Amino acid sequence: MKHLFDLSGKVAIVTGGNSGIGLGMATGLAAAGATVVIAGRNSEKNAAAAAQIQDVGGQASWLDVDVQQEASCQAMVSRAAHRHGRVDILLNNAGINIRKPPQDYTLAEWNQVLQTNLTSAFCCSQAVYPEFKKQGAGKIINTGSMMSIFGASFATPYAASKGGLVQMTRAMACAWAADNIQVNAILPGWIDTALTRQARIDVPGLHERVLDRTPAKRWGVPDDFAGVAVFLAGAASDFLTGTAIPVDGGYSVQG
Ligand code: NDP
């Protein structure tokens, strides 16, 4: 029997791993034995996140990446592979939101959100595929959203990007299953991070609505994502692909 949740010897890249949900998942992967590569735009945040993981005994390094740039995604994968000898796990987690009514977006804003949240995951997945193919195995975990399922008046490009991410997950899962590459998505509910702290300023009454609507009666926290990341990154999920798993305290099943 394989060690279902043991990631020793595995190398994981986490885009947007320097804060929030990404850091929660990176911390979980490191605790399960993986070497984690934190990848974000902000070097100081990247270094601090890697140090935080090292401080509790995990193995971590960091790289600067701007996932809006295809060349930067490719460089991230090749630098991580060169530094650590392999890449086994890719978490496409970097994301942004711009909150407005649909009629007020510029095309540049639409493109920025789609590029950061969706096109980036395509580019990073394409970049890592040769590594996975060479090794005969690989895991991709994409961070979707409740907006992969629901709409919201203030999140048109965000919802389009996160809905698209789930369909991209399914299509890549079909394409790469025979290569022993599993591609899955997680759909976070409302999680207390920098992203939603801004949302609570931008959208009056959001905090109360989330508490009221979430059966668990609390906001999620980054640590809530450690376990699902380990599950989807390890042997426990070797026959699971193309899924989109809500991690939301019951938000998406509340009638
Ligand atoms: P954070 O703002 O804490 O994290 C966002 C991360 O994305 C940061 O690490 C940031 O790093 C990185 N990032 C943004 N743009 C780029 C870029 N162009 N290139 C590289 N990295 C980038 O928010 P969350 O943890 O909440 O968000 C993480 C993911 O979870 C996102 O995809 C978000 O859409 C999703 N999500 C969050 C929910 C929530 O309730 N919080 C709910 C549903 C989904 P840096 O600043 O260094 O660039």
Side-chain angles (χ1 to χ4, degrees):
M1 180 77 129
K2 289 188 241 179
H3 296 288
L4 296 178
F5 302 100
D6 181 6
L7 302 179
S8 303
K10 306 286 186 189
V11 175
I13 299 174
V14 186
T15 73
N18 64 26
S19 69
I21 292 170
L23 183 52
M25 293 197 287
T27 304
L29 297 180
T35 298
V36 172
V37 181
I38 300 287
R41 284 170 303 186
N42 183 316
S43 308
E44 280 177 25
K45 280 167 64 185
N46 291 338
Q52 187 177 314
I53 291 171
Q54 289 162 355
D55 284 349
V56 292
Q59 299 176 74
S61 70
W62 59 273
L63 286 171
D64 288 337
V65 66
D66 181 354
V67 296
Q68 290 188 80
Q69 311 294 330
E70 182 187 14
S72 187
C73 296
Q74 289 167 341
M76 172 189 75
V77 171
S78 61
R79 288 172 67 197
H82 180 71
R83 185 185 294 170
H84 297 292
R86 56 191 296 132
V87 180
D88 304 276
I89 302 154
L90 169 67
L91 272 66
N92 289 311
N93 169 77
I96 57 165
N97 196 1
I98 299 173
R99 295 174 197 85
K100 291 182 175 184
Q103 64 273 22
D104 290 348
Y105 287 100
T106 64
L107 185 58
E109 288 170 333
W110 166 273
N111 286 336
Q112 189 187 349
V113 175
L114 269 288
Q115 191 79 29
T116 305
N117 296 1
L118 177 59
T119 310
S120 66
F122 171 73
C123 292
C124 293
S125 301
Q126 221 180 31
V128 86
Y129 176 74
E131 291 293 325
F132 289 178
K133 177 82 175 159
K134 192 171 65 189
Q135 284 161 203
K139 302 277 188 182
I140 296 176
I141 304 168
N142 296 319
T143 302
S145 164
M146 288 296 101
M147 302 298 155
S148 301
I149 310 171
F150 304 118
S153 61
F154 52 84
T156 300
Y158 186 83
S161 70
K162 294 298 187 176
L165 199 58
V166 168
Q167 286 302 95
M168 192 194 77
T169 298
R170 292 176 179 144
M172 284 185 177
C174 294
W176 293 344
D179 294 321
N180 192 29
I181 298 167
Q182 290 80 47
V183 188
N184 290 289
I186 55 151
L187 311 183
W190 289 95
I191 315 305
D192 184 16
T193 68
L195 192 80
T196 50
R197 263 165 242 143
Q198 187 58 45
R200 275 176 270 180
I201 295 165
D202 294 347
V203 185
L206 179 65
H207 177 65
E208 293 72 22
R209 286 211 304 280
V210 167
L211 287 183
D212 185 50
R213 163 84 197 259
T214 304
K217 294 297 169 206
R218 68 170 175 88
W219 285 68
V221 293
D223 283 353
D224 288 322
F225 292 82
V228 72
V230 171
F231 170 61
L232 291 176
S237 60
D238 276 353
F239 200 53
L240 185 85
T241 198
T243 65
I245 302 176
V247 183
D248 64 352
Y251 185 92
S252 60
V253 294
Q254 174 82 292

